[in-house]
Amino acid sequence: MSVVTRFAPSPTGLLHIGGVRTALFNWLFAKHHGGKYLLRVEDTDQKRTTKDAIQAIVDGLEWLKLQPDEKTIFQSHNSERHSEIVNELLSAGLAYPCYCSPEELQEMREKARSSGTSRLYDGKWRDKKPQDAPSGINPVIRFKTPIKGETIIEDLVQGSVSVSNQQLDDMILLRADKTPTYILSAVIDDHDMGVTHIIRGDDHLTNAFRQTQLFDALKWNKPIYAHIPLIHGPDGTKLSKRHGALGIDQYKEMGYLPEALLNYLVRLGWSHGNEEIFSMKQAIRWFDLKNVSKGPARINFDKLKSVNAHYIKETDDPFLVELIKDSVAEKLNISLNDQMLERLTKGISGLKSRVKTLPELIDLSLFYFYQRPIKFDREARVLLDHDAKILMKGLSTLFKSVTPWTEDSLECAIKDFAKQKNVKLGKIAQPLRAALTGTTISPSIFEVAEILGKQETIGRLKDIVNN
């Protein structure tokens, strides 16, 4: 059997992190088995569907490199096919029109709840004849749910699960306006797309029982289900906006690399021994649904940032420069000239090992591009006291004779200067860092001075002395 999976988001809201993990698991499972991974946009709810939401799904999957193997399918384009199948069910006596009014349905629900039954519709029109139909009312079309026995699903994650058919009422297939319901559309589209495995959140488990009944009624091969537990917040409650149930585009804006996000999400509810950091090639080789946890996973943003820090550190320097250079220029409201780009290129290696997100990397790099005299944060101003300014004056004189202007030469010169002044190296390095960067956090100050260049370094020290 050739494996075919699908990711089927509804474009009525954001593509959030839970949806991305579902897409990722489908993608990995298909790739692991040499199969196909497809994308179906479930846009039958035209009132709530937006073009922006559709575009966000497409853009998000492209950013994560989770594009489908074939052209994206839009469920709304299949409405005629959905109606055709309903007519087949009607002709076979497996579906029927229901003319119940909203008031009647509400009365049925109240009666069912008071009696403790889960069948909210009592089957009033299940066996009535067409001539009994009232005039002037557009009926819904309902499926004749089996009354006896049980429906069983052999789920690859949840195991064998079943429900008594007496607990399921006759679901609506077509609404009164002739639009198909989600359960009907999904079954038909999954069949027509040749989907063999449906991997999705376990909040869809109840739907799977109804969809299985439809597959059986239509005598179609049933897909294999795998219902994965949902992602919870750090406190164990359902993931919400306050936890980070944000659009995937916002994670991009927060400075997470796609490789880091995917690596973290793979490990959120799935494991391969003690492996924490691995490539998608490795994940494809290892991925198996038997290693998916049955319990909900808790998102941990500290862990996500730690994984992101690893990937930033491992990313090629030129690629990182391309990622952040426009943001650096925008933040400072300047255009980066060749000299500035050269500084960023030389400095990126020392910067990237000290950050966890791209905004942190951008902020940490800004001192390389400050116009003189540079500004200082509160901690830097504290370090640049009277005694420090005297030391900086001595360094500005010393630096004129340093040659070649390299990190090693600067380190030797500053260490010799510290011995001459009979002070610890930190007493010089710390105010020097403050003087050159405006802050107390930076890569090695010898590296910083080399990248800034001789003229800029001495100029920034003179600004301190003359202030």
Side-chain angles (χ1 to χ4, degrees):
M1 176 179 62
S2 180
V3 167
V4 179
T5 66
R6 51 70 162 176
F7 175 49
S10 175
T12 56
L14 302 171
L15 174 61
H16 56 77
I17 202 165
V20 169
R21 188 187 64 162
T22 298
L24 175 59
F25 279 18
N26 277 279
W27 183 84
L28 285 171
F29 189 81
K31 299 303 177 186
H32 176 79
H33 291 281
K36 289 192 299 186
Y37 155 76
L38 306 177
L39 173 63
R40 181 175 74 234
V41 177
E42 298 195 330
D43 60 339
T44 52
D45 188 348
Q46 290 293 301
K47 291 181 180 179
R48 296 176 59 215
T49 294
T50 67
K51 290 183 179 179
D52 287 345
I54 293 175
Q55 194 60 49
I57 291 170
V58 173
D59 291 346
L61 294 178
E62 182 177 354
W63 176 61
L64 294 163
K65 296 182 176 61
L66 296 179
Q67 301 101 317
D69 295 319
E70 295 181 359
K71 185 177 179 181
T72 300
I73 293 171
F74 290 87
Q75 197 167 63
S76 61
H77 297 175
N78 301 332
S79 56
E80 290 186 10
R81 168 69 170 159
H82 301 154
S83 297
E84 174 189 312
I85 295 301
V86 171
N87 288 332
E88 289 182 13
L89 290 169
L90 284 167
S91 298
L94 298 172
Y96 62 93
C98 170
Y99 294 87
C100 285
S101 67
E103 291 76 20
E104 288 177 299
L105 292 172
Q106 181 60 31
E107 184 179 342
M108 289 180 198
R109 294 188 191 101
E110 291 175 356
K111 184 177 179 180
R113 291 186 181 111
S114 63
S115 63
T117 180
S118 58
R119 291 176 67 94
L120 301 182
Y121 173 72
D122 64 8
K124 179 177 180 178
W125 284 91
R126 183 181 175 106
D127 298 313
K128 287 194 175 184
K129 299 177 181 179
Q131 53 265 36
D132 295 332
S135 59
I137 296 180
N138 293 324
V140 300
I141 306 300
R142 290 183 181 270
F143 175 65
K144 279 191 176 180
T145 302
I147 296 176
K148 297 181 180 180
E150 60 181 3
T151 299
I152 302 172
I153 296 172
E154 300 298 334
D155 193 277
L156 292 181
V157 174
Q158 304 296 330
S160 181
V161 288
S162 63
V163 64
S164 169
N165 291 335
Q166 292 183 348
Q167 297 181 33
L168 304 175
D169 54 18
D170 294 347
M171 61 182 164
I172 296 175
L173 302 176
L174 284 184
R175 303 180 184 91
D177 63 1
K178 305 305 180 185
T179 59
T181 58
Y182 157 74
I183 291 179
L184 171 77
S185 300
V187 166
I188 297 170
D189 291 344
D190 284 333
H191 169 75
D192 291 353
M193 293 166 65
V195 172
T196 62
H197 293 76
I198 295 177
I199 304 169
R200 59 188 180 183
D202 61 9
D203 53 334
H204 285 279
L205 185 57
T206 301
N207 292 333
F209 292 119
R210 296 184 178 278
Q211 289 167 333
T212 294
Q213 291 177 343
L214 270 177
F215 276 109
D216 288 339
L218 292 164
K219 295 182 171 57
W220 289 345
N221 290 330
K222 295 187 290 290
I224 299 170
Y225 289 101
H227 289 88
I228 57 179
L230 301 181
I231 299 174
H232 284 185
D235 57 1
T237 61
K238 185 177 179 181
L239 192 64
S240 63
K241 287 184 178 180
R242 68 187 177 89
H243 293 126
L246 309 170
I248 201 63
D249 57 324
Q250 291 174 279
Y251 283 89
K252 182 179 180 182
E253 291 174 6
M254 289 189 290
Y256 293 102
L257 296 177
E259 299 85 358
L261 195 57
L262 290 176
N263 189 157
Y264 177 74
L265 287 177
V266 174
R267 288 287 287 111
L268 203 57
W270 174 86
S271 63
H272 180 77
N274 295 321
E275 301 289 344
E276 291 286 347
I277 302 294
F278 43 81
S279 68
M280 284 302 100
K281 286 184 179 180
Q282 290 173 306
I284 289 172
R285 191 165 67 248
W286 296 335
F287 190 79
D288 196 308
L289 289 169
K290 69 181 181 181
N291 291 325
V292 174
S293 171
K294 290 186 178 181
R298 295 191 184 190
I299 193 167
N300 183 323
F301 290 102
D302 289 336
K303 180 64 176 177
L304 174 56
K305 284 187 176 181
S306 176
V307 173
N308 200 55
H310 169 84
Y311 277 90
I312 288 176
K313 187 176 180 179
E314 295 299 314
T315 298
D316 290 341
D317 293 350
F319 184 77
L320 276 181
V321 170
E322 287 297 314
L323 273 183
I324 71 170
K325 67 179 185 179
D326 290 341
S327 296
V328 169
E330 182 180 352
K331 193 141 192 176
L332 293 174
N333 195 26
I334 60 173
S335 295
L336 297 185
N337 57 34
D338 290 344
Q339 183 186 43
M340 291 175 172
L341 282 175
E342 185 180 359
R343 285 182 188 171
L344 182 57
T345 301
K346 289 181 177 179
I348 197 73
S349 179
L351 296 168
K352 69 181 184 180
S353 62
R354 290 167 169 78
V355 301
K356 294 182 177 180
T357 64
L358 292 182
E360 291 178 7
L361 180 61
I362 292 165
D363 288 342
L364 188 58
S365 72
L366 295 181
F367 70 85
Y368 278 125
F369 318 106
Y370 288 154
Q371 300 298 305
R372 294 175 42 207
I374 69 172
K375 296 181 179 179
F376 306 96
D377 63 24
R378 185 178 62 83
E379 291 80 3
R381 285 195 298 270
V382 170
L383 285 174
L384 294 171
D385 56 17
H386 177 73
D387 291 342
K389 288 182 179 180
I390 293 174
L391 290 172
M392 295 306 102
K393 182 177 181 180
L395 280 179
S396 67
T397 302
L398 170 67
F399 284 167
K400 293 176 182 178
S401 61
V402 172
T403 185
W405 188 262
T406 64
E407 184 176 344
D408 290 340
S409 296
L410 287 163
E411 182 175 1
C412 289
I414 293 171
K415 285 182 176 179
D416 288 342
F417 182 77
K419 289 181 180 179
Q420 293 172 15
K421 298 296 181 181
N422 196 28
V423 296
K424 292 183 178 179
L425 181 60
K427 284 289 186 178
I428 297 176
Q430 290 175 4
L432 178 59
R433 174 175 284 108
L436 297 184
T437 69
T439 183
T440 58
I441 301 172
S442 78
S444 161
I445 196 57
F446 314 117
E447 175 186 330
V448 168
E450 178 187 350
I451 293 170
L452 282 174
K454 191 169 190 175
Q455 182 179 349
E456 181 69 18
T457 297
I458 293 173
R460 292 190 184 191
L461 291 181
K462 286 183 175 180
D463 290 338
I464 293 295
V465 174
N466 296 331
N467 184 16

